[in-house]
Amino acid sequence: MRLKRIDHVGIVVRDLETALATYERNFGLRRDPNRGGELPALGIRNAFIPVGNSDLEFIQPLTDEGPVANFAKERGEGQFLLSLEVEDLSAAVEELRAKGYRVSDPNNGIAFVSPKSAHGVNLQLIERR
């Protein structure tokens, strides 16, 4: 498996605009105005702040259901996922499964490694084209 880079870190927040303002004010970071928005199918609203060749993704749940909403209910705000870019997603999934790791089927260029297989980290693998 060839890992290329940390693609992004997902952070669950209660209020997207407040979180973005905090990171702008305290860290001098700026939102990418061309990325993010409401994703009704996922029940979220998100925004991205570039940091070097990676991003911080801020994710606000819009519903009471789904993984992001459940995370917010159980843990509050905080790091939700670590996304690693891989060269070949299908090959990465096959390799990890062969080693006994629990990994979801690839879907739209993304697969998730079970937190039980990654020391409690919600690990996302992503293939960018």
Coordinates of all heavy atoms in Angstrom, one line a residue, residues 11 25 66 85 88 94 113 124:
I11 N -13.0 17.5 11.7 CA -13.3 18.0 13.0 C -14.8 18.3 13.1 O -15.3 19.1 12.4 CB -12.5 19.2 13.3 CG1 -11.0 19.0 13.2 CG2 -12.9 19.8 14.7 CD1 -10.1 20.2 13.2
R25 N -9.1 33.7 13.4 CA -8.6 34.6 14.4 C -7.4 34.1 15.2 O -6.4 34.9 15.3 CB -9.8 35.0 15.4 CG -9.4 36.0 16.5 CD -10.6 36.3 17.4 NE -11.1 35.1 18.1 CZ -12.2 34.4 17.8 NH1 -13.0 34.9 16.9 NH2 -12.6 33.4 18.5
G66 N -27.1 9.7 12.0 CA -25.9 9.5 11.2 C -24.6 9.6 12.0 O -24.6 9.9 13.2
E85 N -4.5 9.8 2.0 CA -4.6 9.6 0.5 C -3.7 8.4 0.2 O -2.6 8.3 0.6 CB -4.2 10.8 -0.2 CG -4.3 10.6 -1.7 CD -3.9 11.8 -2.6 OE1 -3.4 12.8 -2.0 OE2 -4.1 11.8 -3.8
D88 N -3.7 3.7 -4.7 CA -4.7 2.7 -5.2 C -5.6 2.2 -4.1 O -5.2 1.4 -3.3 CB -3.9 1.6 -5.9 CG -4.8 0.6 -6.6 OD1 -6.0 0.4 -6.2 OD2 -4.4 0.0 -7.6
E94 N -7.6 -4.3 -0.2 CA -7.3 -5.8 -0.3 C -6.1 -6.1 0.6 O -6.1 -7.1 1.3 CB -6.9 -6.1 -1.7 CG -8.1 -6.2 -2.6 CD -7.7 -6.6 -4.0 OE1 -6.7 -7.3 -4.2 OE2 -8.4 -6.1 -5.0
V113 N -11.4 2.3 7.6 CA -10.8 1.3 8.4 C -11.5 1.4 9.8 O -11.6 2.4 10.3 CB -9.3 1.5 8.6 CG1 -8.7 0.4 9.5 CG2 -8.6 1.6 7.2
Q124 N -9.9 7.1 7.5 CA -10.5 7.1 6.1 C -9.4 7.0 5.1 O -8.4 7.7 5.2 CB -11.3 8.4 5.9 CG -11.9 8.5 4.5 CD -12.5 9.9 4.3 OE1 -11.7 10.9 4.2 NE2 -13.8 10.0 4.3

